[in-house]
Amino acid sequence: MVDDPWSSALHRLWQAASRAEEVAALADDVYAPLLATPGVHRVVGTRWDGRQVLRYMRALSAGSDAPVIVATTRSMPGAAVREPGGEPVVDRLEAAGLDDAVWPEAEFLREGPGGSVVSCTFRLDQRGWAALTLAVDASADLAAVENRLTQAVDVIVACHTGILQRGREARRGADDALLAEASLQMDSSLDVEDTLRRVARIAVPAVADGALVHLARGEGPEFVAATHVAVQQQRALEAAGRDDPWLAALLARRGEEEDTVFLSGAALDGSPFADPAAADDDADADAANAGEGHHPTVVSISPLRARGRVLGTITFVYQRPEARLPDSAFLRSLATRAALAIDNALLYELRRTAVLSLQEHLLPSQLPVTDRWDLSASYAVGDPMLDVGGDFYDAVLRPDGSIALLIGDVCGRGAEAAALTGLARHTLRTLLEEGTDAGTALSRLNRALRQERASRFLTAVVATLAPRADGTVLLSTCSAGHPSPLVLRGDGTVSEVLSGGLLLGVLDDVSYESHQERLTPDDTLVLFTDGLTESREAGGTFFESVLPARLAALRGSDAAHIAESLARQARAFRDSGQDDIALLVARWTGLSPASGLLPPDHRLEQAALR
């Protein structure tokens, strides 16, 4: 029954250990029961880091409720002989023979009745160790004291291990959440530089105190973004990222490394990250700096690698305790996600450039310039994935002095649609330039599509505008299943041009008829593809239903303003629908350009937008 009080105390200690968030919280539950052991009159605990620097000492005497606590950063190289290896080490010594250079606890352990000390040193983790020492008198059962001491140490070690494990799990959860958020943030942009800036902003201060991002270029690393928790240091970081030769040379070498590399101390000599405190080799100075909250600078460099090639590097700068540095696996995962986001943005940019270039080649480089026609066009790419669209338009001056306007839309997108777009526009243009009438030109294009076994159909409309001696224009419209053109009259009224006809590329033998009407000076003909009319707002309304009113509000405007305004309004109106929008506008002035236009009434345009 002698051990019953100790057994109860040990049970309470285990319970406290399971709840503790730091080992120091166990002090009362450890010291008091040990002091209750017969023959023990003092308990002293010490905490050390891996450089034999004493960080903490706590002493409690029997009969006292107030412990003596010493927080310090005292360097004691002699204590290296006490540092344990893997397992706890128990020593029995005479208090009088303790060496003060090895035992900072000696001043407490020699007080009182004297006698022996029983000390247990044990490792807490890779970075530090601790000691728990009891001062005992001659009445103590040293075997029993040692047994209780080792049991108490077992609880402390288990508590510390549990705290570290819970910390790792919490950090892993936080890291996973950060990586998930980083992916969402980076994937939400297809702009390369914006993606890189997001990488830097996400990482600071959650991952590091500062971050630098560079792209790999043929001439060397290209600085893109930098951020730091401190504004002044951010400026210095940006300057280093742009101009520092040490960093540029390092990144050029490290960009091909397979994994993250950490640099600190002498490895940063000559760099913009060199730690001034590192120049002092005096351990006491280092300890003093650490006590003031200074932490040596650590730099990590991770390659941004995607699809077998290095896109750049991300450099993190840390000025925080070693325990708060991220591990290589986390940085590798973050760099991989960043690299994929950057690679997607780069591929998108390349594709966008290629598509826009191809799209430009599928459209006329310029429209004809005549004395009596004000011509303009607008083309807006609607697909965010930027596949080549099938919309096309052109204007052709014909041998008889008339002008032929054509607009069409190939079903679908992509390379095949682009090929048919080129075939259709150039076929119609060639035939119309030679003087072929619109119906015959459409029929011959239909025959060519059937002979080519085209798997896609297309719509088109050809409007031939022939000036008459009385100052009017004969408008002949021939359509192959295309949306009907609109005419904006000089008085502001809007009418639809009658048209019909079968789609091109569906049947072998098809003929197309023309519809005729007249235009007077200041009348405007508007041709468009269904991307304009099928733009749909959130409530389900199509732009087609408001198009006449929007066009009427543009009365008096020149062709360029009408084309750009309608395209802009349709894009703003659109909540769904991603088709391209093509417009071709011809305004018959009957006058030379120097005679001017009717003054546009912008109040009408603003009213139509309401």
Side-chain angles (χ1 to χ4, degrees), residues 20-26 159 163:
E21 295 183 359
E22 57 180 18
V23 173
L26 297 180
C159 175
I163 291 171

Side-chain angles (χ1 to χ4, degrees), residues 20 104-105 108 161 173-174 176 262 269 297 300 334 367 460 472 559 574 607:
E105 312 98 311
F108 297 106
T161 302
D176 290 344
F262 286 87
D269 287 349
T297 300
S300 70
L334 179 61
L367 297 176
T472 65
R574 177 164 57 195

Side-chain angles (χ1 to χ4, degrees), residues 416 447-456:
E416 186 178 0
R447 189 179 312 124
L449 293 173
R450 297 297 293 169
Q451 290 173 349
E452 292 292 331
R453 300 183 182 276
S455 61
R456 299 170 185 259

Side-chain angles (χ1 to χ4, degrees), residues 210-228:
L212 280 163
V213 183
H214 289 79
L215 276 178
R217 300 297 191 193
E219 59 276 13
E222 177 187 323
F223 169 77
V224 177
T227 188
H228 198 283

Side-chain angles (χ1 to χ4, degrees), residues 114 160 252 261 343 385 515 571:
H160 186 72
V261 60
D343 191 54
M385 294 307 295
H515 170 78
R571 291 196 301 271

Side-chain angles (χ1 to χ4, degrees), residues 12-367:
R12 290 193 299 273
L13 181 58
W14 277 110
Q15 288 181 319
S18 67
R19 300 187 300 269
E21 295 183 359
E22 57 180 18
V23 173
L26 297 180
D28 292 339
D29 294 294
V30 171
Y31 282 45
L34 288 175
L35 279 174
T37 302
V40 176
H41 58 83
R42 193 174 298 273
V43 181
V44 184
T46 53
R47 179 72 179 268
W48 306 76
D49 70 13
R51 298 176 297 169
Q52 290 78 53
V53 174
L54 178 65
R55 296 290 184 184
Y56 171 87
M57 184 160 56
R58 188 180 198 273
L60 183 64
S61 301
S64 174
D65 294 328
V68 177
I69 299 175
V70 179
T72 182
T73 53
R74 189 193 314 174
S75 178
M76 299 186 67
V81 298
R82 296 178 60 193
E83 185 173 349
E87 297 296 326
V89 177
V90 178
D91 291 304
R92 298 181 187 178
L93 305 96
E94 292 301 317
L98 296 178
D99 182 353
D100 288 355
V102 178
W103 294 79
E105 312 98 311
E107 59 178 302
F108 297 106
L109 297 172
R110 294 193 191 103
E111 296 178 0
S116 304
V117 298
V118 181
S119 180
C120 182
T121 55
F122 52 96
R123 183 160 294 283
L124 291 172
D125 50 49
Q126 295 300 316
R127 295 183 295 271
W129 55 284
L132 192 60
T133 306
L134 309 179
V136 300
D137 59 26
S139 68
D141 180 346
L142 294 182
V145 170
E146 182 177 321
N147 182 57
R148 293 187 178 187
L149 179 60
T150 55
Q151 288 179 339
V153 167
D154 286 344
V155 178
I156 293 172
V157 172
C159 175
H160 186 72
T161 302
I163 291 171
L164 291 179
Q165 179 63 30
R166 291 193 294 275
R168 283 192 293 269
E169 291 174 355
R171 185 164 181 171
R172 189 180 303 116
D175 287 349
D176 290 344
L178 178 63
L179 289 172
E181 177 64 19
S183 294
L184 288 174
Q185 289 290 327
M186 292 183 292
D187 292 345
S188 65
S189 175
L190 287 174
D191 179 84
V192 176
E193 293 196 3
D194 182 58
T195 299
L196 290 165
R197 285 191 290 269
R198 287 170 184 251
V199 173
R201 289 197 299 267
I202 289 167
V204 176
V207 177
D209 298 280
L212 280 163
V213 183
H214 289 79
L215 276 178
R217 300 297 191 193
E219 59 276 13
E222 177 187 323
F223 169 77
V224 177
T227 188
H228 198 283
V229 291
V231 174
Q232 292 297 330
Q233 293 193 50
Q234 176 165 334
R235 293 177 184 146
L237 201 60
E238 289 174 349
R242 289 190 180 93
D243 305 319
D244 188 78
W246 182 93
L247 181 60
L250 178 67
L251 295 181
R253 296 195 306 270
R254 292 297 181 184
E256 296 300 325
E257 295 289 333
E258 291 293 329
D259 205 354
T260 297
V261 60
F262 286 87
L263 304 173
S264 60
L268 296 177
D269 287 349
S271 78
F273 314 111
D275 187 356
D280 189 349
D281 293 329
D282 187 347
D284 287 332
D286 287 344
N289 286 335
E292 295 169 1
H294 174 87
H295 299 287
T297 300
V298 178
V299 174
S300 70
I301 302 172
S302 301
L304 298 172
R305 186 184 299 275
R307 298 180 176 92
R309 61 194 182 100
V310 175
L311 306 177
T313 57
I314 181 166
T315 303
F316 290 129
V317 181
Y318 313 91
Q319 291 168 313
R320 55 183 63 185
E322 185 180 350
R324 291 181 55 203
L325 296 182
D327 57 32
S328 296
F330 171 80
L331 292 178
R332 182 167 55 251
S333 182
L334 179 61
T336 298
R337 294 172 189 233
L340 288 174
I342 294 166
D343 191 54
N344 287 337
L346 287 169
L347 291 175
Y348 178 88
E349 185 64 28
L350 289 173
R351 183 178 182 184
R352 178 177 179 274
T353 301
V355 166
L356 293 178
S357 176
L358 178 56
Q359 198 83 64
E360 288 177 0
H361 284 83
L362 293 176
L363 300 172
S365 58
Q366 61 182 16
L367 297 176

